[in-house]
């Protein structure tokens, strides 16, 4: 029997699908509120969190919710770029033909942002992912690159995301000018034990499930083993479904979950 049929699922909500099973946890709602606030006031924002806590999911779904005719999202995941590469990549993302000199790219980037804001009435949203790995030289240049009208106005949203170490990097004295310009700073925390169990239940509901899939102790085992990380909850739950189906379990037990935990550790 196919495991989705056995467990009454329209699809597996614990793996990446065409249909994303979004669970709006309290942390997700808080992140969304913070990002909407940043969009209103513009300027620099910081979003940090441990791997698997849901940063990328939160940002991706927030970006999907935006008015595409009023906002232009530029996502740059290449955090290990050199300064020149960063400027060239930014210019290209803004629709410019990248130059070889940093100064020329600087002028093109600022010009493109001005045109976008003034002529197209759009807000540029620049997302710099894994920013904790960015070179100090790039971080130092950000405050200059996005300085408009003698620093009297914010024309773009610049969101730096990464591991919690990003806050430690920005606490260095050399980054004081950038740190003073940060208008939103939020660290995404893991789910509590109760939130983890609710996350699991809500994921199943997203997939149209109306039957008991995990015993109470099994849900406790998943929540405890995942340390509040949605990505880990998904991995353990997915493996539990596969093992449970192989063992002809119509309701997954805590023993099955512990086997799934061992598989994921290996």
């Amino acid at each position: 029997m196919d495991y989705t049929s056995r467990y009454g699922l329209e699809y597996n909500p614990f793996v990446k699908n065409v249909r994303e099973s979004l669970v709006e946890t309290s942390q997700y709602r808080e992140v969304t509120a913070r990002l909407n606030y940043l969009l209103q006031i513009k300027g620099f924002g910081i979003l940090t969190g441990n791997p698997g806590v849901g940063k990328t999911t939160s940002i991706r779904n927030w970006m999907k919710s935006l008015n595409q005719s009023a906002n232009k999202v530029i996502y740059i995941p290449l955090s290990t770029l050199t300064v020149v590469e960063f400027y060239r990549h930014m210019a290209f993302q803004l629709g410019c033909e990248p130059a070889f000199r940093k100064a020329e790219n600087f002028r093109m980037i600022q010009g493109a942002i001005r045109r976008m804001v003034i002529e197209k009435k759009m807000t540029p949203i620049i997302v710099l992912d894994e920013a904790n790995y960015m070179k100090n030289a790039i971080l130092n240049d950000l405050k200059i690159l996005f300085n408009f009208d003698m620093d009297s106005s914010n024309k773009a949203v610049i969101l730096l995301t990464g591991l919690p170490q990003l806050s430690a990097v920005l606490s260095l004295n050399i980054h004081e000018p950038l740190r003073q310009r940060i208008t939103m700073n939020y660290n995404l925390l893991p789910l509590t034990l109760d939130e983890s169990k609710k996350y699991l239940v809500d994921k199943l509901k997203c997939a149209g499930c109306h039957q008991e899939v995990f015993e109470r102790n099994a849900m406790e085992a998943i929540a405890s083993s995942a340390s509040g990380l949605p990505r880990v909850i998904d991995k353990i739950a997915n493996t539990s479904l596969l093992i449970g189906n192989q063992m002809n379990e119509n309701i997954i037990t805590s023993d099955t979950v512990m086997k799934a935990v061992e598989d994921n550790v290996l």
Side-chain angles (χ1 to χ4, degrees):
M1 180 186 294
D2 178 73
Y3 71 96
T4 53
S5 299
R6 180 186 294 277
Y7 299 114
L9 302 170
E10 295 174 6
Y11 62 94
N12 186 345
F14 303 111
V15 297
K16 292 183 179 179
N17 295 282
V18 175
R19 290 181 288 177
E20 184 168 25
S21 304
L22 177 64
V23 175
E24 295 191 4
T25 64
S26 58
Q27 286 281 297
Y28 174 81
R29 290 190 290 272
E30 181 64 26
V31 169
T32 301
R34 299 284 185 120
L35 291 173
N36 286 334
Y37 170 74
L38 179 62
L39 181 60
Q40 287 180 347
I41 62 174
K42 303 182 178 62
F44 289 92
I46 308 294
L47 178 62
T48 56
N50 288 322
V53 80
K55 297 185 300 296
T56 303
T57 299
S58 298
I59 294 170
R60 181 173 64 250
N61 283 283
W62 175 71
M63 291 190 301
K64 285 181 182 177
S65 72
L66 297 175
N67 182 343
Q68 301 302 310
S69 63
N71 302 283
K72 169 67 174 177
V73 176
I74 296 171
Y75 176 75
I76 301 180
L78 307 174
S79 56
T80 56
L81 295 172
T82 66
V83 175
V84 173
E85 288 171 341
F86 174 78
Y87 273 84
R88 286 176 57 83
H89 190 69
M90 180 71 74
F92 176 77
Q93 290 293 320
L94 285 165
C96 305
E97 182 66 34
F100 289 99
R101 295 172 59 86
K102 171 182 166 181
E104 294 176 21
N105 285 314
F106 179 93
R107 287 193 292 271
M108 282 195 292
I109 291 169
Q110 284 218 327
I113 290 175
R114 285 184 183 278
R115 288 191 297 274
M116 192 177 298
V117 172
I118 297 172
E119 298 174 12
K120 298 182 179 180
K121 309 298 183 185
M122 297 182 73
T123 298
I125 301 172
I126 294 117
V127 180
L128 306 175
D129 204 357
E130 297 188 0
N132 49 288
Y133 297 118
M134 291 181 74
K135 292 176 171 56
N136 285 332
I138 296 177
L139 290 172
N140 283 335
D141 271 18
L142 290 179
K143 63 184 181 298
I144 304 170
L145 184 60
F146 297 101
N147 181 340
F148 293 91
D149 304 324
M150 297 182 67
D151 211 18
S152 64
S153 64
N154 292 322
K155 297 190 179 301
V157 170
I158 308 95
L159 178 63
L160 284 73
T161 75
L163 301 177
Q165 294 92 301
L166 176 58
S167 296
V169 171
L170 294 174
S171 69
L172 298 175
N173 289 335
I174 57 172
H175 298 312
E176 176 64 22
L178 174 59
R179 191 165 64 251
Q180 290 181 3
R181 290 166 171 77
I182 295 172
T183 57
M184 188 281 286
N185 189 352
Y186 188 71
N187 182 54
L188 189 58
L189 298 173
L191 303 176
T192 65
L193 193 63
D194 286 341
E195 287 173 333
S196 296
K197 289 185 285 187
K198 186 177 185 303
Y199 173 89
L200 190 59
V201 170
D202 288 347
K203 274 271 185 169
L204 292 169
K205 288 180 179 177
C206 286
C209 182
H210 300 289
Q211 67 187 58
E212 184 181 7
V213 176
F214 297 96
E215 290 182 350
R216 180 177 299 179
N217 288 341
M219 294 184 65
E220 290 278 354
I222 294 174
S224 299
S225 301
S227 301
L229 302 176
R231 184 188 299 164
V232 180
I233 295 174
D234 288 345
K235 287 181 65 177
I236 297 174
N238 174 58
T239 307
S240 297
L241 291 177
L242 298 177
I243 295 175
N245 188 55
Q246 291 170 359
M247 298 174 64
N248 289 319
E249 277 188 348
N250 291 326
I251 300 177
I252 293 171
T253 65
S254 58
D255 288 341
T256 299
V257 169
M258 295 318 297
K259 290 176 183 176
V261 171
E262 291 173 6
D263 282 5
N264 280 287
V265 169
L266 294 175

